[in-house]
Amino acid sequence: MAPLADLYQVSMAYGHWRAGRHRAPAAAELFFRRPPFRGSFALGAGLAEGLRGLRAFRFSAADVAYLRSVLPSTIDDAFFDYLATLDASEVTVTAIPEGSVVFARVPFLQVKGPLLVVQLLETTLLCLINYASLVATNAARFRLLAGPDMKLIEMGLRRAQGPDGALSASKYSYIGGFDCTSNILAGKLYGIPVRGTIAHSFIMSFRCLEEVQPRELPPRAGGDPVDLADLALSWLQRVCDLLQTPPSKANQGELAAFVSYAVTFPCDFQGLLDTYCVRRSGLPNFCAVALALHQLGYQAIGVRLDSGDLAQQSKEIRGVFQACGAHFQVPWFGTIPIAVSNDISEQSLEEFRREGSEIDMIGIGTHLVTCPLQPSLGCVYKLVEVNGSPCLKLTEDEEKMTIPGMKAIYRLYDAAGHPFMDLMALEEEPSPSAGQELGIRVLGRLEETTKVIPSTVEPLHRTYFRDGQVCEPLPSLPEVRTHAQVSLNLLSPAHRRLHEPQPYPV
């Protein structure tokens, strides 16, 4: 794991080693300077991966040989011998639990250990946490816009930045609140529920019902197989009479595709309605096949739309389902789930809410996994202490100034149970208590002293890594996902809203 670093980290390590400072006790903090997506919060993610990276931190013989080939020939051979002995056995990591809401300038994690090792870990930890936290935050925003009852499926594999980005997107969008993924490998590796039925190419591959083989399906309760194509054709006439649309307008290739899929997956039949024409073809064909399945004891699981005015179409489709359910006395038909996809963005979800819709499930790809509104979270990793002395980066850019010294981090809650402030204090300072008046200075307004009285005080950091091992039980992925939703729900509406939120004080 050690070579997952920038070359300048190794160059600095050599400088520390040459100066005899490499074992000086040091501490660094990982944080972001401003909240992403113009919101007020982020979801911290990637901690478990970071801890696994620490546990595997070492330079193999091949790693050392490669570094010899790319570093200047003047480097002392003894330095390479020293690299071969390195591990993270003297490193301690404290962090906010993965899936927690985190705020700008508040350290997500703190790393203590020998200066050389602390420095070498910078790029590794930033790589593993930056994108993880960004996509988890992006997913959380989609979840907040969609509401708690909407099913959300991540389907960005084909649009992600390579296979590593795709797997990370599946994993961390699940933490952020998505229900499932289309990514089979993510399902296998992480246990995320997987979903997927058919695409337009399956429907376009059929021309007529004669191509459907096999076409017979036994009733669910048992009995002789029935020709599903013939049964669907008879239902198509009845559905078209109800909808007052000519059966001749229903594409026969599409009907054949639906029948073929229904014969293959009678308990999991979902139709993709917009390959040709939703109202005149896709909808009558789907209803005909779904009603034929119902006659044999099966129940369709839904439809999907992938183009056009999705909100308006969903309302029209729901009306047709309800009409069919009432007319043909099939009560469940009116509640068939409607799924949509097609370059869904935050703006799309806002339009669905504004216009009203009958959508039950939303598939989101590009705008979730590539985070186009903000392609990087911008986490940084800064030294705050060396040899017991605080470190301070002074710069003309006030935002880039660091806050020196090792800190204890607390979250302060109001009487309603909402967090209203995160408090950073030096480790040696006494811990704040509930009901105690505190004199604080808010970042950005350091010239003012403010008095606050928290109803509850929560220490945020836990020790996760010590003596080369993970020392705190790590929650499962579903547990992290649940914690993320709890953490988000604790936020006050003013801090949780996605546009022009009230700034969260630190």
Side-chain angles (χ1 to χ4, degrees):
M1 194 67 181
L4 186 62
D6 292 306
L7 185 61
Y8 73 87
Q9 306 291 351
V10 183
S11 301
M12 289 192 294
Y14 182 59
H16 291 317
W17 183 85
R18 282 276 302 205
R21 311 172 67 243
H22 54 290
R23 291 195 52 77
E29 295 175 341
L30 188 150
F31 60 93
F32 56 92
R33 293 190 175 108
R34 60 178 69 175
F37 307 110
R38 298 184 180 179
S40 72
F41 67 87
L43 273 188
L47 176 61
E49 289 290 338
L51 296 174
R52 276 190 279 271
L54 282 169
R55 197 167 52 192
F57 175 81
R58 60 186 53 85
F59 288 92
S60 68
D63 298 333
V64 173
Y66 175 74
L67 288 174
R68 284 180 184 272
S69 73
V70 296
L71 288 168
S73 59
T74 54
I75 286 183
D76 193 325
D77 280 347
F79 173 67
F80 295 108
D81 295 336
Y82 179 70
L83 287 183
T85 69
L86 284 183
D87 57 26
S89 60
E90 296 180 73
V91 171
T92 299
V93 173
T94 66
I96 299 174
E98 186 162 14
S100 298
V101 168
V102 288
F103 299 99
R105 305 297 295 273
V106 177
F108 177 36
L109 58 80
Q110 298 172 315
V111 182
K112 297 180 184 178
L115 175 59
L116 184 147
V117 177
V118 169
Q119 196 78 71
L120 282 174
L121 291 172
E122 175 178 0
T123 301
T124 301
L125 291 173
L126 285 173
C127 177
L128 294 174
I129 287 169
N130 250 317
Y131 179 68
S133 299
L134 182 74
V135 76
T137 305
N138 199 26
R141 291 173 63 88
F142 278 108
R143 169 52 69 197
L144 288 171
L145 281 169
D149 300 324
M150 181 72 71
K151 294 293 184 184
L152 295 178
I153 177 171
E154 176 273 317
M155 46 195 303
L157 176 57
R158 66 187 66 191
R159 304 288 171 81
Q161 288 95 335
D164 294 334
L167 285 170
S168 292
S170 298
K171 180 177 184 178
Y172 294 112
S173 62
Y174 184 66
I175 285 177
F178 274 58
D179 297 286
C180 46
T181 179
S182 66
N183 186 336
I184 297 171
L185 185 55
K188 175 188 174 185
L189 293 176
Y190 309 129
I192 302 170
V194 292
R195 287 289 297 269
T197 50
I198 55 174
H200 296 289
S201 58
F202 183 85
I203 295 168
M204 293 162 62
S205 70
F206 288 86
R207 290 289 176 267
C208 60
L209 286 169
E210 285 69 27
E211 295 177 343
V212 178
Q213 291 296 334
R215 50 196 288 155
E216 291 190 332
L217 179 68
R220 190 167 191 176
D224 295 333
V226 174
D227 189 311
L228 189 64
D230 287 346
L231 188 59
L233 270 177
S234 68
W235 274 107
L236 179 63
Q237 182 63 57
R238 298 169 67 183
V239 169
C240 287
D241 289 344
L242 175 65
L243 302 184
Q244 297 183 324
T245 183
S248 60
K249 296 292 185 181
N251 186 283
Q252 288 294 294
E254 181 180 59
L255 179 62
F258 287 172
V259 169
S260 179
Y261 196 79
V263 169
T264 309
F265 297 102
C267 297
D268 297 279
F269 174 58
Q270 183 185 45
L272 178 56
L273 300 190
D274 59 0
T275 307
Y276 300 109
C277 174
V278 173
R279 179 76 189 188
R280 294 195 304 271
S281 182
L283 199 47
N285 279 334
F286 170 81
C287 290
V289 176
L291 288 164
L293 282 174
H294 168 74
Q295 187 174 331
L296 300 180
Y298 302 95
Q299 186 169 323
I301 65 168
V303 295
R304 179 164 72 93
L305 299 167
D306 192 50
S307 64
D309 187 335
L310 301 176
Q312 181 59 33
Q313 287 185 97
S314 74
K315 291 187 280 189
E316 294 174 358
I317 290 167
R318 179 68 67 214
V320 169
F321 287 166
Q322 290 171 344
C324 286
H327 185 78
F328 299 117
Q329 298 183 327
V330 184
W332 61 264
F333 212 85
T335 62
I336 291 175
I338 299 172
V340 299
S341 51
N342 187 29
D343 210 28
I344 303 292
S345 64
E346 284 190 9
Q347 183 180 350
S348 305
L349 268 65
E350 289 168 343
E351 290 172 357
F352 295 162
R353 177 182 292 177
R354 186 168 54 249
E355 297 173 17
S357 80
E358 291 290 337
I359 296 168
D360 302 289
M361 172 178 270
I362 303 174
I364 306 175
T366 304
H367 288 271
L368 173 63
V369 304
T370 67
C371 302
L373 295 179
Q374 181 166 331
S376 174
L377 179 55
C379 284
V380 294
Y381 181 96
K382 299 297 179 184
L383 281 176
V384 293
E385 191 172 286
V386 176
N387 251 336
S389 297
C391 297
L392 170 65
K393 176 183 176 183
L394 284 171
T395 171
E396 293 180 1
D397 186 346
E398 185 176 335
E399 185 183 58
K400 288 195 169 186
M401 289 178 61
T402 58
I403 303 170
M406 283 302 296
K407 305 167 193 70
I409 316 295
Y410 306 94
R411 184 155 291 169
L412 310 183
Y413 292 81
D414 60 23
H418 300 304
F420 70 88
M421 178 179 292
D422 279 10
L423 176 67
M424 296 188 287
L426 292 175
E427 280 188 323
E428 60 266 24
E429 291 187 270
S431 301
S433 301
Q436 170 194 1
E437 184 178 79
L438 303 171
I440 56 93
R441 293 175 184 266
V442 176
L443 290 177
R445 305 197 306 272
L446 291 178
E447 68 284 352
E448 307 171 17
T449 300
T450 306
K451 302 291 186 182
V452 297
I453 302 177
S455 293
T456 306
V457 176
E458 176 190 15
L460 287 185
H461 274 219
R462 301 178 189 173
T463 300
Y464 280 96
F465 192 88
R466 185 187 286 122
D467 301 328
Q469 296 298 324
V470 176
C471 57
E472 168 103 2
L474 295 181
S476 67
L477 200 63
E479 288 171 337
V480 175
R481 180 178 184 271
T482 298
H483 173 66
Q485 297 310 304
V486 170
S487 191
L488 286 166
N489 289 333
L490 285 175
L491 288 179
S492 71
H495 293 135
R496 191 167 56 231
R497 65 174 179 251
L498 304 187
H499 299 295
E500 299 181 354
Q502 180 180 319
Y504 186 88
V506 175

